[in-house]
Amino acid sequence: MTLPQEASAAPDSDLTVVTNSGMPDDLICPASEICDPAVLRTKLNDALDGVENGQSARAALVAVLAEVQKQGRTAIADALRAEPFKARETTRAYCWLTDCIITQIWAIATERLYPNPNPTEGERVAVLAVGGYGRGEMAPHSDVDLLFLTPYKVTPWAESVIESMLYILWDLRLKVGHSSRTVKDCLRLGAEDFTIRTAMLEQRYICGDVGIAEQLEERLWSDLFKGTAREFVEAKLSERDARHEKQGGQRYMVEPNVKEGKGGLRDIQSLYWIAKYVHRVDTTAELVDKGVFRTEEYQSFVVAERFLWAVRCHLHLLAGRPMEQLTFDMQVEVAEAMGYTDKGGRRAVEWFMQDYFRHATTVGDMTRIFLTSLEADQDKNAPLLMRIFTRQPKVKDGYVVVNNRLGVVDEEAFLKDKVNLLRLFEEALRTGLLIHPDAMRLVAANLRLVDDEMRNDKEARRIFMDLLLKHGNPERALRRMNELGFLAAFIPEFEPIVAMMQFNMYHHYTVDEHTIQCIWNLSEIENGHLIEALPVASSILKHGINRKVLYVALLLHDIGKGRDEDHSVLGARIARKVAPRLGLNKAECATVEWLVRYHLLMSDMAQKRDIADPRTVRDFAKAVQTRERLDLLCVLTVCDIRGVGPDTWNNWKAALLRALYRQTRRGLEGGLEQLNRENRGAEAKKALREALKDWDTKDLRTETARHYPPYWQGLHVTAHVIFAQLLKGIGDDEIRIDLHPDTDRDATRACFALVDHPGIFSRLAGALALVGANVVDARTYTSKDGYATAVFWIQDAEGHPFEESRLPRLRKMIHRTLLGEVVPRDAIKDRDKLKKRERAFRVPTSITFDNEGSEIYTIIEVDTRDRPGLLYDLTRTLANQNIYIASAVIATYGEQVVDSFYVKDMFGLKFHSVAKQKSLEKKLREAIEAGAERARS
C-alpha cells in the first residue's frame, strides 16, 4: 500500500519528496502555489460557518474548492509552459492538487457534514486512489478513479459520506470513476476480471481508515496475486496486442495515440503492471538491480517516458479536454508548446514528430527486452514433451536457438569479429528464426564497433548485399537493423531519415519506414505475388534486370530528404558516395545515381502531363535514353508509390504508368519518329471504323471528318465510340451525357456532348464539384461543326468510382448546372471547407508556364493546397480571360494538388508573352487565395 502524496508507483522511480512542512518539494512549481491544505481547510470551515447542511452547504464548499482548483491548475499549466519537458513533476503536481481536494472534502464530510466521533467497526471507510491516479500519474484532464473501501456492507453513515463527496467532486466537473467495496469484494471481483485486478494492483491510500487499507494490501498479495503471475502476464499481453491492432498495429502511425498507440504510455504502464505483479517492485528502476535492464537502457526508457508524458500533458491543455490522439492540427500546436522551431529546411512539427517516433521505438525495445526475460523464466516450466518434440533448425557454429529464437553462444567471442554483427542478421534470414532480444541488445550496445573499416570490409559488403538480394525477404532484416540502430551505423547517411516524419496527408509512414516498405514491395514482385496486380513490373523482373542496382537505388532514393535542398539532387550526391561502398562497379554506381536523381520523373510525367500528347512521351524517352533505365525506373516508381501507404496505389496510377512505359518502350525500340500525331490519328480512325462496323458508311464518314487532329490523338477508341453515339443526330439544344465506370482506371468516366460555348470546361468542373466528385483527368475538344465533346474521369471522396446508385443524382446536377438553374459559384461556398485537422498543412503556391512540353499548347502548372472547389475556381478564372482549355491533368498528393492545364489563347496561340503570363499568374493566385480564405472561414 502507498501512502498519500508518495507516488511510489511512478514507473521511472521518481518518488515525491515531502518536506518538514508536510508538502512535497519536487513538483513543477512550489506545492503551496498549487494548494496549501491548511489554508484550504480554513477556507472551507469559514465557508460553512452559519450555513445549514444541505444544498447551500455544498454550494459554499464547491465555490471555495473550484477557486482553489482553478488557481492550482493555472499554476501548474503556467509552470509547464515555462519548462515544457518537466512531465513527471507536472503529473505529480496534478496528483497533489487532487489529493488535497479529496482529503479536505473527506475531512469536511466526516467532521462537519456528518460528524461521527465514535464510528463502529462497520463504519470504517478508507478512500483509495486506483488506476493512473493510484500510480501517481495524472494529466490535466485525467479521470479521478476512487475506491471507497469498507470492512462490511456500506452503512447509512458511510453511504452519506461517500455520496456527499461524490456530489462535490461532480460539481467540480471532475470525471470520477468510483466503486464501494469490501475487501472480500475486491478479492472476488479481482479474481474474475483482470481490469479490476490491475486497478487493485495500483491502489494508493489517500485518507480515511488506514488499517483497512493495509488489510487490503496484505490480502491482495497473499490471496489474489500470489501464484497467478503467468495468467496475469498472458492477459496483459493479449490486451496489448488487441490495443495495438485497434490503433493500427504500427509504431509509425502519422496521427498516433499517445496513450493507447504502439510505443505509447499504455505500453509503459503495461510493463509496470507486469513488473510489479511478477517481481513485486514498486518502480521499474528496481528492474535494473534485478538484471532485467542495463543502466543505459533504463535511462533511455526514462527519457522516452517523460517525453511522452510531456506530450500528453500539453495535448490535454491545448485541447481543453482529455484528448489522446496527436492529430495533424494538434501536432503543430504541441510542437510549438514544447519549444520546437523550424530549422534546416524542416518545420518544427517534423522535428517534434521525429523525436516522438524515436521515443516510441525506445519504449518498444524496452518492452521486448522485459518480455524476453519473463519468457526465459516461464520456459523453465515448459512441459518435458514440448521441449523434446519442438524441432529447431540447425544453426551455424557460435549460434544457439533459445525459445525458438536465434541467440549467441559466447558474447565475448562473438564481439571479437565485428562483422559478426552483420552475420547475425544473415543467419536469422537463412534459418527463418527471429533474433533473440538478448542478441539484439548485444548489437545495440556495441554499435561503436561499426566503423569505416567495417563499412569498407569486403565480407561486410557481401553480407549486406546478400541480405537485400539472396534470401527473399530483405524487409525483415532491414526493419530489425533499423530498429536496433545498426542500419544507420553501417550507412551513416541513413541516420537523418530514421523516424523522420513528412508532415503531409500523402505519406503514411516515416521516411525510413517508407524506404523499407518500398523494398518489401519489390521483393513481393520478385517473389511472384503481384503478377496480376502489376503485370508490367512483374514482366520486367521476370525477363532480367540488374537487381543490385534496383535494390540499392530504392534503399537510397529518399536518403536526401529533410534538408533545405531538393532531396533528389542531394540524394544523388549521397548515392555517389554510398553505392561504391556497397561494392557496386562504376557503371552500376552511375545508374544508381541517375535513378535517385530522377526517381520522380516517371511519376511526374505520368500524373502531371498529358501522356496522350506525343511530345510528353518523346521528352520522357529522351530523358531516359535506354531501355535498361526505363525498366529500372518503371519498377522503382511502382514500388515508390506503393510504399507511400496502403491506399495510395490504384488502377488510375497503374494505367497511366503502363501507358507511358509501353509508349516510351515503343519509341526507344522503334525510333522516336513513331511517336507523332499523324500516326496516332490514323490508327484511331481505323480503330473507330472497326468498332462501328454496323454503322452506315455516310454516318461513319461524317463522324471521322467532324473532329480536329487533337481529338483523335487524345482519347482511346472506347471514348471515340461513346462520343460518336452521343453526337449522332444531336440537336442544338440538347445536352447528352454518358456516365460509366472505367474499372481499368478506378474512376467513373463522364462524357458530355453539347453545343460549344465559352466557359464550358469551368461549368462542368463546377457541376462535378457540387456532387462531391474529384476530377483526376479531363479532356475537352471542339468539333468542326461547333459541338463540345468533353470527358472527365472522376472519383468519389474515397478515391473510387461512383456507385451506380449515385449516378442519377450526378446526371441531374450536371444538367441543372449546364442549363443555368444552379450557379456553381454560389452553391459551392458551403461545400468548399477544410476540416479542422487539415488546416495545419501549408502548401506554397507555385505557378509555371511551359511552352516546350507540348507542340500545340502552353502548359500551365498550378501546384497548391487542394480543396473541393479549387478546380472550378481555376478554370473559371481561365475562362474569364478567354482562354481555351484543351485538357486538364490533376495529380493529388494528400493535401497538395498539381493541376496542369493545356491551353491556348483566344486566337489559338501559345502564351509566349512574359507580361501575359505574369498577368494571368496574378489572377490565378488571387482566385486561389480567395478560395482558401473561404475554405478556412
Side-chain angles (χ1 to χ4, degrees):
M1 180 188 69
T2 312
L3 295 176
Q5 285 82 56
E6 186 182 89
S8 63
D12 69 356
S13 82
D14 290 343
L15 300 180
T16 296
V17 179
V18 180
T19 64
N20 292 333
S21 66
M23 288 195 282
D25 68 351
D26 59 349
L27 308 182
I28 187 74
C29 57
S32 58
E33 292 181 13
I34 300 168
C35 181
D36 187 321
V39 173
L40 176 57
R41 181 64 178 274
T42 300
K43 287 182 178 180
L44 291 172
N45 280 323
D46 291 346
L48 287 179
D49 287 345
V51 178
E52 293 185 11
N53 283 356
Q55 291 284 351
S56 55
R58 195 171 101 203
L61 292 171
V62 169
V64 172
L65 289 166
E67 184 60 28
V68 169
Q69 182 189 45
K70 181 181 178 182
Q71 291 174 355
R73 285 182 170 178
T74 300
I76 298 170
D78 289 345
L80 179 62
R81 290 187 192 100
E83 298 185 87
F85 284 86
K86 284 201 169 182
R88 301 301 298 140
E89 295 85 347
T90 301
T91 58
R92 284 195 295 266
Y94 282 113
C95 277
W96 166 252
L97 176 60
T98 309
D99 283 356
C100 289
I101 289 172
I102 290 173
T103 303
Q104 295 310 315
I105 294 174
W106 164 263
I108 289 293
T110 56
E111 296 172 20
R112 294 289 302 268
L113 302 181
Y114 302 99
N116 187 5
N118 297 303
T120 64
E121 173 69 15
E123 290 177 325
R124 292 184 299 146
V125 180
V127 183
L128 278 64
V130 293
Y133 180 33
R135 271 195 314 277
E137 295 177 339
M138 289 192 83
H141 293 283
S142 288
D143 295 353
V144 178
D145 293 324
L146 297 175
L147 168 63
F148 296 97
L149 189 65
T150 58
Y152 315 113
K153 184 180 178 182
V154 176
T155 64
W157 173 83
E159 188 174 0
S160 297
V161 169
I162 293 169
E163 189 176 89
S164 67
M165 289 184 69
L166 289 174
Y167 274 119
I168 292 171
L169 292 170
W170 288 331
D171 287 347
L172 290 171
R173 301 188 181 281
L174 292 172
K175 189 177 179 183
V176 182
H178 63 93
S179 58
S180 300
R181 294 178 184 143
T182 65
V183 173
K184 282 186 178 180
D185 289 337
C186 292
L187 296 174
R188 176 177 56 81
L189 293 169
E192 298 170 355
D193 189 317
F194 282 103
T195 302
I196 295 175
R197 193 185 305 191
T198 305
M200 294 296 100
L201 184 67
E202 298 183 302
Q203 50 84 21
R204 176 171 64 88
Y205 171 79
I206 299 177
C207 53
D209 188 280
V210 71
I212 192 172
E214 290 175 341
Q215 182 186 346
L216 175 65
E217 173 86 358
E218 182 183 334
R219 293 286 302 279
L220 284 173
W221 284 102
S222 62
D223 296 3
L224 181 59
F225 299 160
K226 188 176 180 181
T228 59
R230 182 188 288 268
E231 65 180 53
F232 182 80
V233 171
E234 289 175 356
K236 288 294 114 182
L237 295 184
S238 295
E239 282 179 19
R240 185 192 68 158
D241 292 343
R243 188 177 68 251
H244 287 172
E245 189 67 29
K246 185 178 179 182
Q247 292 298 324
Q250 293 190 359
R251 190 172 296 124
Y252 294 149
M253 298 299 292
V254 289
E255 292 183 294
N257 188 303
V258 182
K259 183 179 179 183
E260 304 288 351
K262 195 168 187 178
L265 287 167
R266 187 67 83 196
D267 280 359
I268 296 175
Q269 291 156 5
S270 296
L271 190 151
Y272 164 67
W273 293 330
I274 294 171
K276 183 165 187 176
Y277 206 102
V278 173
H279 295 288
R280 199 169 180 176
V281 296
D282 281 328
T283 69
T284 49
E286 294 172 65
L287 295 175
V288 176
D289 298 331
K290 291 184 176 291
V292 176
F293 295 138
R294 295 175 174 144
T295 302
E296 66 275 11
E297 291 171 338
Y298 178 70
Q299 288 304 318
S300 64
F301 179 72
V302 170
V303 171
E305 186 217 19
R306 290 182 178 178
F307 179 88
L308 293 174
W309 265 111
V311 170
R312 189 181 182 210
C313 287
H314 287 293
L315 191 55
H316 277 211
L317 288 172
L318 290 165
R321 60 187 177 87
M323 185 175 185
E324 310 298 351
Q325 188 171 20
L326 263 176
T327 55
F328 291 128
D329 54 323
M330 296 308 297
Q331 289 172 17
V332 175
E333 294 187 43
V334 173
E336 183 180 356
M338 294 182 70
Y340 286 84
T341 56
D342 297 354
K343 61 179 180 180
R346 295 175 65 197
R347 292 182 63 180
V349 64
E350 293 176 320
W351 290 108
F352 161 63
M353 289 306 296
Q354 185 169 25
D355 283 349
Y356 178 91
F357 289 128
R358 289 188 172 187
H359 287 308
T361 301
T362 297
V363 171
D365 292 343
M366 294 297 288
T367 304
R368 184 171 56 241
I369 290 167
F370 177 64
L371 295 180
T372 302
S373 71
L374 287 178
E375 190 180 68
D377 292 339
Q378 291 185 1
D379 190 65
K380 294 172 186 174
N381 303 319
L384 180 62
L385 285 175
M386 186 180 291
R387 295 203 297 269
I388 292 173
F389 290 108
T390 300
R391 294 186 63 185
Q392 297 176 341
K394 290 183 179 180
V395 294
K396 292 181 178 178
D397 291 344
Y399 299 101
V400 64
V401 180
V402 181
N403 297 333
N404 208 34
R405 287 182 170 86
L406 183 67
V408 173
V409 174
D410 184 335
E411 293 187 359
E412 190 174 336
F414 179 85
L415 293 175
K416 284 182 178 177
D417 182 356
K418 48 193 166 191
V419 178
N420 281 336
L421 296 174
L422 254 176
R423 291 191 181 103
L424 175 68
F425 298 102
E426 182 181 42
E427 184 66 4
L429 279 194
R430 188 189 70 80
T431 58
L433 291 168
L434 296 173
I435 300 175
H436 194 280
D438 283 347
M440 287 193 273
R441 292 170 76 187
L442 185 66
V443 172
N446 291 279
L447 292 177
R448 66 186 183 282
L449 296 177
V450 184
D451 52 15
D452 285 340
E453 181 186 10
M454 180 180 173
R455 295 182 193 109
N456 291 293
D457 183 90
K458 285 186 178 180
E459 177 66 2
R461 289 175 180 172
R462 179 201 64 77
I463 295 170
F464 184 83
M465 292 307 299
D466 280 356
L467 290 172
L468 289 179
L469 302 170
K470 188 175 177 181
H471 301 283
N473 52 349
E475 165 260 348
R476 190 171 129 197
L478 288 173
R479 179 166 283 111
R480 187 62 73 218
M481 282 179 174
N482 192 36
E483 288 176 353
L484 297 177
F486 182 87
L487 188 56
F490 191 69
I491 304 176
E493 295 84 355
F494 197 83
E495 198 279 334
I497 65 170
V498 173
M500 178 188 286
M501 183 211 188
Q502 301 168 85
F503 190 68
N504 56 54
M505 291 167 61
Y506 180 61
H507 292 93
H508 294 234
Y509 306 113
T510 53
V511 181
D512 55 335
E513 178 63 20
H514 162 69
T515 301
I516 293 170
Q517 288 285 338
C518 290
I519 287 176
W520 175 76
N521 272 284
L522 177 54
S523 68
E524 285 289 282
I525 300 170
E526 274 204 299
N527 293 331
H529 298 158
L530 297 171
I531 294 173
E532 189 174 333
L534 303 173
V536 172
S538 299
S539 173
I540 290 170
L541 288 169
K542 182 181 178 182
H543 288 97
I545 199 170
N546 191 322
R547 298 173 63 241
K548 190 190 298 186
V549 165
L550 189 53
Y551 271 98
V552 172
L554 262 183
L555 181 67
L556 304 179
H557 79 282
D558 274 348
I559 204 164
K561 280 200 167 177
R563 269 60 66 92
D564 199 8
E565 184 179 352
D566 184 328
H567 81 280
S568 299
V569 175
L570 177 58
R573 287 207 305 271
I574 294 172
R576 196 182 306 158
K577 292 194 302 180
V578 176
R581 212 162 63 220
L582 295 177
L584 276 67
N585 63 39
K586 193 172 182 180
E588 290 170 335
C589 289
T591 305
V592 167
E593 183 181 342
W594 184 89
L595 286 169
V596 174
R597 173 63 184 87
Y598 296 105
H599 72 271
L600 296 174
L601 178 63
M602 190 170 190
S603 174
D604 285 348
M605 279 291 193
Q607 296 185 74
K608 298 179 185 179
R609 290 291 180 265
D610 183 358
I611 57 175
D613 188 328
R615 184 66 171 267
T616 300
V617 183
R618 284 207 301 273
D619 287 350
F620 178 63
K622 287 176 183 177
V624 174
Q625 294 184 342
T626 68
R627 167 74 187 279
E628 180 196 18
R629 279 184 175 179
L630 176 65
D631 287 349
L632 288 166
L633 184 58
C634 180
V635 177
L636 186 147
T637 302
V638 169
C639 295
D640 191 13
I641 296 174
R642 289 177 67 89
V644 168
D647 300 318
T648 306
W649 179 262
N650 56 32
N651 283 350
W652 178 257
K653 294 186 176 84
L656 293 175
L657 288 171
R658 276 198 295 267
L660 180 58
Y661 172 81
R662 285 168 177 158
Q663 291 178 44
T664 307
R665 177 177 164 181
R666 180 181 167 192
L668 289 172
E669 292 177 341
L672 296 182
E673 61 277 0
Q674 287 194 18
L675 304 173
N676 62 57
R677 293 181 178 274
E678 289 73 20
N679 286 347
R680 284 193 180 185
E683 290 171 3
K685 289 178 183 179
K686 182 180 177 182
L688 180 65
R689 291 189 189 99
E690 187 67 28
L692 298 177
K693 286 179 181 177
D694 56 338
W695 270 40
D696 181 78
T697 305
K698 182 182 176 184
D699 291 337
L700 195 54
R701 193 180 301 120
T702 300
E703 178 59 27
T704 54
R706 78 192 315 167
H707 300 288
Y708 292 104
Y711 173 86
W712 299 109
Q713 297 140 13
L715 297 174
H716 187 267
V717 65
T718 311
H720 288 151
V721 169
I722 291 170
F723 279 123
Q725 293 165 341
L726 291 176
L727 288 167
K728 191 175 183 181
I730 190 171
D732 288 351
D733 58 347
E734 279 191 87
I735 300 171
R736 293 186 177 180
I737 303 173
D738 179 89
L739 302 177
H740 199 274
D742 189 341
T743 51
D744 288 342
R745 299 192 178 199
D746 266 349
T748 297
R749 184 182 58 237
C751 294
F752 308 94
L754 66 162
V755 171
D756 192 23
H757 55 79
I760 187 70
F761 196 108
S762 176
R763 290 174 69 181
L764 287 169
L768 294 170
L770 287 177
V771 291
N774 293 323
V775 179
V776 291
D777 201 353
R779 306 273 189 281
T780 182
Y781 306 96
T782 302
S783 67
K784 295 174 183 177
D785 52 350
Y787 286 96
T789 51
V791 56
F792 286 71
W793 282 270
I794 56 178
Q795 295 175 333
D796 63 17
E798 281 72 47
H800 302 300
F802 277 80
E803 296 176 1
E804 291 280 352
S805 60
R806 296 181 65 185
L807 296 183
R809 178 173 174 265
L810 190 69
R811 185 188 303 272
K812 184 178 178 182
M813 177 59 75
I814 293 166
H815 259 293
R816 291 183 64 202
T817 304
L818 293 177
L819 292 171
E821 296 174 11
V822 177
V823 180
R825 182 174 52 190
D826 300 329
I828 209 167
K829 287 180 181 177
D830 293 334
R831 301 167 187 262
D832 195 10
K833 301 291 182 186
L834 294 178
K835 296 176 183 176
K836 181 178 182 293
R837 62 181 280 271
E838 298 174 359
R839 292 179 186 173
F841 297 108
R842 301 198 302 248
V843 179
T845 296
S846 169
I847 299 174
T848 60
F849 292 78
D850 177 7
N851 283 307
E852 303 301 322
S854 173
E855 293 172 355
I856 302 174
Y857 305 105
T858 292
I859 305 170
I860 302 177
E861 183 176 287
V862 181
D863 186 339
T864 190
R865 177 72 162 84
D866 195 17
R867 55 183 172 77
L870 176 68
L871 183 63
Y872 171 66
D873 285 347
L874 295 176
T875 54
R876 185 163 54 88
T877 302
L878 293 173
N880 289 342
Q881 302 304 307
N882 297 312
I883 293 171
Y884 170 70
I885 305 170
S887 63
V889 181
I890 291 88
T892 306
Y893 306 91
E895 76 284 1
Q896 179 186 4
V897 67
V898 180
D899 291 346
S900 301
F901 301 100
Y902 284 66
V903 304
K904 296 177 182 179
D905 68 12
M906 62 191 298
F907 303 108
L909 302 174
K910 289 185 176 184
F911 284 83
H912 287 290
S913 165
V914 175
K916 283 186 178 180
Q917 290 181 7
K918 287 185 176 179
S919 174
L920 183 54
E921 178 179 350
K922 182 183 177 184
K923 286 182 168 57
L924 288 170
R925 286 185 179 275
E926 288 171 353
I928 291 168
E929 186 50 45
E933 187 62 35
R934 184 176 67 237
R936 288 192 294 264
S937 63

